[in-house]
Amino acid sequence: MTKPEACIFDLDGVIVETSDAHFNAWQRLAESLDISFGEEFNEQLKGVSRRKSIEKILALDDRELPEDEIQQLMDKKNGWYQDSIAELTPDDILDGVPEFLEQLQEMEIPLGIGSSSKNAPYIIDYLQLNSTFGVIIDGNKVENTKPDPEVFLKGARALNADPVKTIVFEDAASGVEAANRGGFVSIGVGSEEYLGAADLVIQNFKDLTPEKLFNQISDK
Ligand code: BG6
Ligand code: MG
């Protein structure tokens, strides 16, 4: 692939590792409801909205609750989650990510965030990444959550980029599906086991240069 028109990054699990904090808070909530789930089920919660996550957890036990209770449960989980992310600092940005972003900036490639999280603005603040991204589309700005491509399509539009010539970086199967459905070049960040639908899977950003990556994409 030649130089892309833009690069859009998922936040949780790509720029910073927050999935354990999400997992722990959901597990704590599920335990209080006498519902249990493990890491494999947790993969299904990655990338999807808070609302969809609670629905999936309740469905594990065919549980139906009134709307106000569902709302209270989501607030409780979010309170625990927010307590844990309040500790984040720029040192928590994943290895190799700052260098990779810097190189993209030097190449004058527009950068965006496409996240399902309504907490994304806080996380970006804690990580001091506000000036790095030309656009931040998060869970507050979309109607349809991943695997719907809305979040990435809005990002590409704001960056004036053609999805076909835009790279999306994602750690969740739902996010890879969203990128593929939107016609983007999808890069899975993590394990081939869950992200096999991506155009290319990388383990992480350590020692990765944009040039190396673009070459690998054209090699496919
Ligand atoms: C995604 C996470 O980025 O955001 C999901 O991968 C999470 O696990 C979703 O459920 C919504 O996050 P929040 O912060 O709005 O509850
Ligand atoms: Mg993610």
Side-chain angles (χ1 to χ4, degrees):
M1 177 185 202
T2 50
K3 187 176 151 182
E5 288 188 3
C7 288
I8 302 181
F9 293 77
D10 171 48
L11 179 63
D12 293 305
V14 171
I15 302 284
V16 62
E17 187 43 72
T18 49
S19 47
D20 281 351
H22 275 297
F23 183 43
N24 293 338
W26 281 128
Q27 263 203 328
R28 188 171 166 190
L29 190 80
E31 270 164 28
S32 74
L33 296 164
D34 275 325
I35 299 175
S36 67
F37 67 88
E39 298 227 6
E40 188 151 350
F41 175 79
N42 188 52
E43 280 303 315
Q44 294 182 37
L45 303 183
K46 288 188 183 172
V48 303
S49 68
R50 201 178 306 164
R51 175 76 201 200
K52 265 207 186 151
S53 302
I54 184 91
E55 283 170 6
K56 280 174 186 269
I57 290 169
L58 293 173
L60 282 174
D61 194 46
D62 288 329
R63 201 82 65 90
E64 281 182 26
L65 295 177
E67 182 54 33
D68 59 334
E69 257 181 68
I70 292 181
Q71 214 58 52
Q72 281 169 15
L73 290 171
M74 287 196 296
D75 289 348
K76 211 179 200 186
K77 181 266 173 180
N78 196 45
W80 293 327
Y81 176 68
Q82 285 192 330
D83 287 345
S84 50
I85 57 168
E87 321 254 306
L88 291 173
T89 73
D91 287 342
D92 292 304
I93 300 174
L94 288 170
D95 283 354
V97 170
E99 295 81 359
F100 191 77
L101 293 174
E102 219 169 276
Q103 292 174 73
L104 292 174
Q105 283 180 309
E106 279 163 16
M107 297 171 83
E108 297 184 352
I109 297 172
L111 306 179
I113 288 283
S115 168
S116 300
S117 173
K118 293 186 172 171
N119 290 300
Y122 304 114
I123 296 177
I124 299 274
D125 269 353
Y126 297 142
L127 302 179
Q128 295 174 19
L129 284 175
N130 267 304
S131 58
T132 304
F133 297 99
V135 65
I136 295 170
I137 309 291
D138 61 39
N140 302 293
K141 296 185 178 159
V142 291
E143 305 231 321
N144 306 297
T145 186
K146 298 169 190 175
D148 189 283
E150 182 183 348
V151 66
F152 297 133
L153 290 173
K154 278 199 167 148
R157 206 170 305 134
L159 294 172
N160 221 352
D162 179 353
V164 179
K165 293 177 187 150
T166 299
I167 299 181
V168 166
F169 296 89
E170 253 298 342
D171 73 312
S174 60
V176 166
E177 188 183 333
N180 290 345
R181 276 166 59 178
F184 293 87
V185 177
S186 57
I187 307 291
V189 184
S191 136
E192 184 81 47
E193 187 187 345
Y194 299 113
L195 306 173
D199 291 316
L200 181 75
V201 178
I202 58 171
Q203 266 186 310
N204 52 52
F205 288 92
K206 278 183 226 167
D207 302 320
L208 184 71
T209 64
E211 211 186 355
K212 255 196 231 173
L213 180 81
F214 303 160
N215 283 338
Q216 266 176 285
I217 296 171
S218 56
D219 286 341
K220 279 170 51 73

